[in-house]
Amino acid sequence: MTPPGTRPTPVILVLGAEYRQAMVDVMTQRYSSDYEIVAPTSMEEAIEVLTELKSGRRPVALAACEFFAGGEKATHLLAKFQKFMPSARRLVYVPVERFRGSVEVMRESLAEGRLDLYLMLPQGARDEEFHTAISETLSDWAQSVSYSEIDGTRIIADGPSPDLTRIRDFLDRMGLPNTVHTSDSPAGVAALAAAGPEASMPLLQAPNDDYLLSNPSNADLGAVLYGRPTDIGEDAICDLVIVGAGPAGLGAAVYAASEGLDTLIIDQGPIGGQAGTSSMIRNYLGFPRGISGMRLAQRARSQAVRFGARFLAGQEVTALRIGEGPDGCHVVELGGDSVRGRTVLIATGVDYRRLGVDALEELLGRGVNYGAAASTSREVKHKQVYVVGGGNSAGQAAVHLARFASHVTILVRREGLAATMSSYLIREIEGNPRISVRPRTVVTDGGGEGHLEWLTLSDVGTGAEERVDAAGLYLLLGAQPTCHWLPPEVARDDLGFVLSGADTPWQSWQGGRPPAPYATTVPGVFVAGDIRCGSMKRVASASGEGAGVVPLVHAFLSPEAV
């Protein structure tokens, strides 16, 4: 029995025959202090064990199956057990002598997302490459199911709300462990007493009581981590001010700071931008097992900080004043505060378009979410959810939610996903029995008593309507550039995307030559990532564009450019 108030020990399940004991020995040596290693010897025993674990709410973190265990394909065995352990990560292990012949057999399963990783048995007592893969996979599982034993930031709240969703999303994406406590819990009673009668929920309390925040804004949350604009200094002039901390902004920050430029990155939300909400990016170079957008952003942020870059999180840029600072530097306004930079990079990316259904807008944070909102996946276990959108972000959200929800339906206006989604994601979706795609369909209405309970779906061709039960709606509705803060001197296309290089109006060209790639119509102001007109709208291309801006900044700041 698990003692009251404690979480049950998660399980690592080992399936196999000839090499089963070898795998058990390896996993026991490294992971038995934090996980229970369970190794049934037959299909019947495995089903019995998994049934018992499920009824006792014992989570399976990792299921490791021997290649062709028991004469049956490992992927087939894992698929049979999936209903008992939907959130578990799936591993096929193989001895070295069989690895070469098994790669081709496993290729399709890997491509369709039916496996999370495929590894050779360790080749020695300390095969750290093997254990790195296992540790990263277990870490990814723990993050996705919020299974952390760390006593992180405590949030005092009674029931779902837009503010609770916003705060949890901010903390999750910044990599800060957090737990929610009700107002009548011991933690809630103590925090409310310390905060006083004027406090309002959600209430945040640090584990070491460094701060106690009453319904904090994103700016308040960001200030706890990185300070406020006034901390930069009144006389400070940065070499490069980057507005937007998505892949483009982070790519620029890492390269600019590593080359000695005084670099400041500002974002109105948590670090990572829209890409930071992606549950798993599998086509980013150098991460064969995939990486979540949150983890990628955290690593890039740490990299930039290591080189000396500074961040302001949760701070919304409200205006850009061209060449109005000392020595003609640009002024970036943040409400009543401002910072100055010799050069500025526009990397604010895009926002999701609004659905425009008033009844659903009123349920934001109570079953309706713009973006993936990974923190809410814990709330849709065994329920029906819907994802609106046909891009990669929508596909990644659907795959992630399928680990928790009983079923995920992707709604798209088009005939299908082929025109807007990467092939690897389409294959993964097609191979997942918990996900279906409903083409030529839009959401026209919805409601519920305090939380989303139903949706009205409409066929875009016939107009026929259907009412369906729904516990969650995730809206990933394409790209709307975040350009409201830009002055008219920065040229944009009819949709608001920033023009650069040869795409700029010819009237702004100098000597008959267009600006450099990523340079805008304003000298010293550059653009990269999804907000740039003509960009590829992919994480890898955005980070590459950000890095590509740095040589242009150097050229602009060099004495020869003056």
Side-chain angles (χ1 to χ4, degrees):
M1 287 285 291
T2 301
T6 64
R7 286 183 169 181
T9 302
V11 169
I12 293 177
L13 181 73
V14 178
L15 303 169
E18 185 178 356
Y19 295 93
R20 170 180 155 277
Q21 190 57 50
M23 188 65 164
V24 169
D25 293 342
V26 168
M27 303 305 278
T28 299
Q29 182 181 8
R30 281 288 184 107
Y31 307 104
S32 59
S33 61
D34 298 311
Y35 299 84
E36 181 182 352
I37 315 301
V38 176
T41 58
S42 66
M43 278 284 292
E44 293 75 16
E45 185 184 351
I47 292 175
E48 182 180 336
V49 166
L50 285 168
T51 302
E52 183 179 344
L53 290 172
K54 188 175 182 180
S55 63
R57 299 181 181 274
R58 294 280 307 283
V60 178
L62 176 68
C65 186
E66 181 182 331
F67 179 67
F68 286 161
E72 188 169 7
K73 247 188 178 183
T75 50
H76 291 171
L77 285 176
L78 291 172
K80 285 181 179 180
F81 297 145
Q82 188 69 12
K83 65 179 180 179
F84 296 101
M85 47 179 196
S87 66
R89 300 310 188 250
R90 298 152 297 174
L91 157 69
V92 169
Y93 62 93
V94 62
V96 62
E97 62 269 22
R98 295 184 186 174
F99 185 77
R100 182 176 180 182
S102 62
V103 170
E104 185 61 28
V105 179
M106 291 291 103
R107 186 171 64 86
E108 184 178 347
S109 297
L110 289 164
E112 293 179 355
R114 286 182 277 151
L115 294 179
D116 294 294
L117 64 167
Y118 178 55
L119 300 172
M120 283 188 291
L121 277 169
Q123 301 303 294
R126 288 173 294 279
D127 188 336
E128 300 304 337
E129 185 66 24
F130 173 89
H131 288 295
T132 295
I134 296 293
S135 296
E136 288 181 350
T137 301
L138 290 173
S139 178
D140 173 65
W141 170 82
Q143 183 274 324
S144 68
V145 300
S146 188
Y147 202 85
S148 173
E149 299 297 337
I150 299 172
D151 185 19
T153 300
R154 297 169 182 170
I155 307 174
I156 314 303
D158 290 327
S161 70
D163 283 326
L164 177 59
T165 298
R166 171 184 58 80
I167 290 168
R168 294 204 74 183
D169 186 56
F170 193 104
L171 296 176
D172 284 346
R173 289 170 59 189
M174 294 299 291
L176 297 176
N178 59 88
T179 53
V180 178
H181 304 265
T182 58
S183 60
D184 58 358
S185 67
V189 170
L192 287 167
E198 300 301 319
S200 60
M201 294 190 288
L203 184 69
L204 266 68
Q205 183 180 41
N208 54 4
D209 295 330
D210 275 352
Y211 58 85
L212 193 65
L213 303 176
S214 176
N215 193 16
S217 65
N218 282 354
D220 295 329
L221 295 170
V224 171
L225 296 168
Y226 294 114
R228 298 187 182 276
T230 51
D231 297 328
I232 301 301
E234 292 184 8
D235 299 325
I237 301 178
C238 302
D239 292 324
L240 174 61
V241 176
I242 301 170
V243 184
L250 290 169
V254 168
Y255 281 93
S258 70
E259 296 182 11
L261 295 176
D262 185 352
T263 305
L264 174 66
I265 309 95
I266 307 170
D267 200 288
Q268 67 177 355
I271 306 304
Q274 194 179 94
T277 68
S278 295
S279 56
M280 185 57 64
I281 302 169
R282 296 196 183 276
N283 61 347
Y284 194 83
L285 183 67
F287 294 91
R289 293 180 291 275
I291 185 171
S292 71
M294 181 197 76
R295 299 257 169 140
L296 186 64
Q298 287 175 3
R299 293 183 182 189
R301 179 186 69 196
S302 298
Q303 221 174 347
V305 169
R306 180 180 180 183
F307 291 126
R310 291 175 290 179
F311 283 86
L312 289 174
Q315 302 288 339
E316 183 179 3
V317 172
T318 54
L320 172 64
R321 291 190 279 121
I322 303 299
E324 293 187 17
D327 300 323
C329 63
H330 305 303
V331 179
V332 178
E333 294 187 352
L334 303 99
D337 300 311
S338 64
V339 295
R340 295 173 290 183
R342 295 181 176 88
T343 62
V344 173
L345 171 60
I346 303 165
T348 43
V350 296
D351 282 334
Y352 294 115
R353 293 199 307 270
R354 312 304 287 189
L355 182 65
V357 177
D358 292 341
L360 291 173
E361 295 291 337
E362 294 175 1
L363 290 174
L364 282 178
R366 295 189 292 270
V368 177
N369 301 278
Y370 282 95
S375 60
T376 65
S377 58
R378 314 151 190 157
E379 302 166 9
V380 298
K381 286 184 179 180
H382 316 305
K383 298 176 182 177
Q384 296 267 355
V385 301
Y386 289 79
V387 173
V388 180
N392 277 14
S393 295
Q396 290 156 356
V399 170
H400 175 70
L401 288 166
R403 294 184 182 273
F404 305 89
S406 60
H407 194 79
V408 180
T409 303
I410 301 175
L411 307 175
V412 289
R413 296 183 64 95
R414 297 172 181 260
E415 296 291 344
L417 302 174
T420 53
M421 190 178 292
S422 293
S423 175
Y424 83 93
L425 267 173
I426 295 176
R427 292 198 302 271
E428 192 165 351
I429 287 167
E430 290 174 344
N432 193 320
R434 290 187 170 213
I435 304 176
S436 59
V437 179
R438 186 162 171 167
R440 299 179 57 78
T441 304
V442 294
V443 178
T444 56
D445 198 6
E449 294 297 324
H451 194 280
L452 179 69
E453 296 174 354
W454 57 271
L455 295 170
T456 298
L457 309 182
S458 177
D459 186 290
V460 297
T462 66
E465 293 187 339
E466 179 186 2
R467 178 163 162 161
V468 297
D469 293 334
L473 177 65
Y474 295 83
L475 301 162
L476 300 99
L477 293 167
Q480 180 175 307
T482 51
C483 57
H484 60 279
W485 57 282
L486 292 173
E489 292 91 337
V490 178
R492 283 157 277 172
D493 69 6
D494 293 340
L495 297 176
F497 291 93
V498 177
L499 300 171
S500 64
D503 291 330
T504 55
W506 64 267
Q507 293 90 340
S508 65
W509 295 12
Q510 299 293 321
R513 300 180 63 183
Y518 314 131
T520 71
T521 48
V522 176
V525 176
F526 305 92
V527 63
D530 288 1
I531 196 171
R532 185 181 68 83
C533 176
S535 66
M536 187 177 171
K537 309 296 187 290
R538 289 290 186 266
V539 173
S541 61
S543 60
E545 288 187 13
V549 165
V550 176
L552 305 182
V553 172
H554 277 299
F556 182 83
L557 296 178
S558 66
E560 291 79 8
V562 178

